[in-house]
Amino acid sequence: MLTQSFAFALLLVYAFSAPTKVLEPRGPSPRGQYTSISTGGHTVYANQWGASTGTGSQCSQIDALTGTSLAWTTTWSWSGKQNSVKSYTNVESPFARKPLSQYTSIPTSWSGSYFGTSLRANVATRPTCAQTYEVVIWLGVYGDISPLSDNGYLPRPVATPTIGGTVFNLIKGHNGNVIVYSFVAKNGSMTTYSGDLVAFYRYLQANWQLSGGQYLQTLQAGTEVFTGSGARLVTSRYSIK
């Protein structure tokens, strides 16, 4: 079962003067299915790649940019094939591409809330290496979903590391030839997170033979959506440096 870039419970009120930019919602045709909007170097992608497996709609918008911190919202309702991902709406941010061994720190922070009925979704960040490895950090899990796992459903953790003060269950799986390491926060769905992505790679290098010569390819954070109604993910603050 596929799931995973950030991926909540308090209603957050915005008071920003910046104009709102709205992603075109998906209609009965594919129009808007892969729409994107950008500001301040961040790009929000609709990425409704699994829309054909269900029925529904989704709309996303940028709420504000304060310094390098992005505020954005996605609202959605999806039904049908409950174990199929309908979308991975996410923010992709710029960075210097170089081997993992050359990064000293990639600090990131996230704060937000998830609302809705019968949610089956996650909130996660995805720093991906080449065509070989994918690292997924699950900060929020809503409903009975789980990461890709080599030992089936329900997956059994291969380790329980503490990284940056947060305890994670590590799930190892494969997506074709790509090895997927999913770090799932043990304390449930977090509403705030602050950490260093390099720490996850250093852990994998020390314990799972991940090569420091691998190049980081993308930095994404968002929500993988399965099913639910009246859903709204409000990200009040997301930053990565």
Side-chain angles (χ1 to χ4, degrees):
M1 184 183 298
L2 179 63
T3 53
Q4 169 199 64
S5 73
F6 265 6
F8 311 108
L10 296 175
L11 179 60
L12 301 171
V13 179
Y14 298 99
F16 298 110
S17 59
T20 295
K21 301 178 182 179
V22 180
L23 278 170
E24 186 177 37
R26 191 183 75 87
S29 72
R31 183 170 58 91
Q33 188 173 1
Y34 295 104
T35 304
S36 65
I37 51 175
S38 301
T39 187
H42 299 285
T43 301
V44 177
Y45 292 96
N47 197 9
Q48 298 171 27
W49 65 271
S52 63
T53 66
T55 302
S57 63
Q58 187 161 356
C59 182
S60 303
Q61 67 185 41
I62 292 174
D63 298 315
L65 179 68
T66 305
T68 59
S69 294
L70 185 73
W72 65 286
T73 301
T74 185
T75 58
W76 55 269
S77 291
W78 289 102
S79 61
K81 291 193 176 181
Q82 68 171 4
N83 292 330
S84 295
V85 174
K86 308 304 185 294
S87 68
Y88 175 49
T89 299
N90 69 89
V91 177
E92 187 167 317
S93 303
F95 64 98
R97 286 176 171 80
K98 54 188 177 182
L100 290 177
S101 60
Q102 294 184 17
Y103 291 97
T104 57
S105 180
I106 306 177
T108 186
S109 62
W110 176 89
S111 179
S113 303
Y114 224 141
F115 309 90
T117 301
S118 301
L119 295 181
R120 302 182 76 254
N122 74 356
V123 175
T125 181
R126 268 184 180 162
T128 302
C129 292
Q131 302 296 319
T132 311
Y133 297 94
E134 184 175 19
V135 176
V136 183
I137 304 163
W138 292 50
L139 301 179
V141 182
Y142 302 88
D144 57 340
I145 63 173
S146 64
L148 285 169
S149 172
D150 288 341
N151 54 36
Y153 182 81
L154 293 166
R156 296 183 302 277
V158 295
T160 309
T162 298
I163 300 177
T166 300
V167 181
F168 293 90
N169 283 328
L170 176 60
I171 310 297
K172 183 182 179 184
H174 282 77
N175 185 8
N177 293 324
V178 178
I179 300 173
V180 182
Y181 292 103
S182 298
F183 293 85
V184 183
K186 283 197 69 175
N187 61 346
S189 298
M190 306 174 72
T191 57
T192 61
Y193 176 77
S194 180
D196 188 342
L197 297 183
V198 169
F200 292 88
Y201 282 111
R202 295 291 179 262
Y203 169 82
L204 291 172
Q205 286 177 281
N207 297 277
W208 294 90
Q209 292 76 55
L210 179 66
S211 170
Q214 292 282 330
Y215 275 74
L216 191 60
Q217 296 295 313
T218 60
L219 286 176
Q220 299 173 335
T223 179
E224 282 187 320
V225 170
F226 291 77
T227 54
S229 61
R232 181 163 60 106
L233 171 62
V234 180
T235 295
S236 60
R237 176 179 55 83
Y238 169 67
S239 67
I240 191 163
K241 299 178 182 179

